[in-house]
Amino acid sequence: MSTTPTVRPLSTHDADALIEAARAAAADLGVQGSVTVLDAGGHLLGFRRDDTAVLISGETSTRKAYTALQLDAPTADLVDAVRPDGLFHTLPTALDRPLLFIAGGVPVHRDGRLIGAIGVGGGAPEQDDRIARTAIEAAGLN
């Protein structure tokens, strides 16, 4: 009988570390936005929206995190897949919960296992992606 090693799930402490690291990375880039952290089940573990961020950044950060979690891939890597000739071109409208294929969502792993995702909204897509990846690295995840 083979047993799979237990991997510690994403915790609220991890979510706080991700949000703080994302906030610092965003400040370095001059970006005012939102950060969403989801656990492996897609449940909200943490959220922050800067006071002057556009309101829609909260929604986009959450959808980016959800998309990265569901497909276990950074949303920046999926943009071409939803173009009219792409493999997933109908996927954004096929599900009850909308996916968002714009850079800024990144899955979070521990010991090679998917434990959650972070989504960043409010900057240019490339900035949001950079902030999310920087936060994961700074928090010591992946």
Side-chain angles (χ1 to χ4, degrees):
M1 178 194 288
S2 171
T3 59
T4 304
T6 302
V7 174
R8 189 168 48 88
L10 196 64
S11 67
T12 54
H13 177 77
D14 294 325
D16 290 344
L18 285 164
I19 289 170
E20 182 55 31
R23 187 208 56 77
D28 288 346
L29 295 174
V31 172
Q32 295 290 307
S34 296
V35 180
T36 300
V37 178
L38 304 176
D39 68 13
H43 305 285
L44 183 66
L45 274 183
F47 175 80
R48 177 194 163 115
R49 185 181 67 81
D50 292 321
D51 292 338
T52 58
V54 294
L55 293 178
I56 198 168
S57 68
E59 182 69 23
T60 61
S61 69
T62 300
R63 288 185 184 192
K64 290 175 185 183
Y66 184 76
T67 303
L69 178 68
Q70 291 303 310
L71 297 172
D72 192 8
T75 54
D77 296 350
L78 300 169
V79 174
D80 288 338
V82 294
R83 295 192 193 284
D85 61 343
L87 180 63
F88 295 145
H89 103 257
T90 60
L91 193 56
T93 58
L95 305 173
D96 290 338
R97 185 155 179 192
L99 301 175
L100 187 58
F101 293 87
I102 299 173
V106 181
V108 177
H109 298 90
R110 188 181 333 263
D111 298 328
R113 304 258 320 261
L114 180 65
I115 59 168
I118 182 172
V120 177
E126 299 77 22
Q127 291 174 314
D128 292 348
D129 183 66
R130 182 172 170 193
I131 293 164
R133 291 174 191 267
T134 299
I136 289 170
E137 185 177 324
L141 296 162
N142 275 15

